[in-house]
Amino acid sequence: MQNDLIKRSDIIWLGVSSAVTGALVGGLLLGLGLSLAGNGQPIGLLFILPAAPVAGGAGWWLATRQAKRFG
């Protein structure tokens, strides 16, 4: 019989992987948007404005998906 208790390393991995994924997605959108806006293309604002909510959504989605494994 396997022990199904959640270990501390599982919780740490869930938090770190969710945070890194969210930061990478948000940073990519922000970088693309700033690059476009800096070159005088106003379409860059369409990348800058949703960068934080999309990053948070990606991290939340990954965290909930991983949490279902333990619950």
Side-chain angles (χ1 to χ4, degrees):
M1 190 149 131
Q2 190 177 17
N3 190 358
D4 289 337
L5 293 176
I6 298 174
K7 297 182 292 261
R8 184 178 294 181
S9 62
D10 295 333
I11 296 170
I12 292 171
W13 172 247
L14 187 141
V16 168
S17 63
S18 299
V20 167
T21 302
L24 287 174
V25 169
L28 180 67
L29 284 174
L30 188 62
L32 286 173
L34 287 174
S35 176
L36 287 170
N39 288 327
Q41 298 178 0
I43 197 161
L45 292 174
L46 294 177
F47 288 102
I48 294 173
L49 293 176
V54 169
W60 176 79
W61 176 75
L62 184 62
T64 55
R65 197 182 92 193
Q66 289 179 348
K68 286 179 185 176
R69 287 187 353 185
F70 302 117

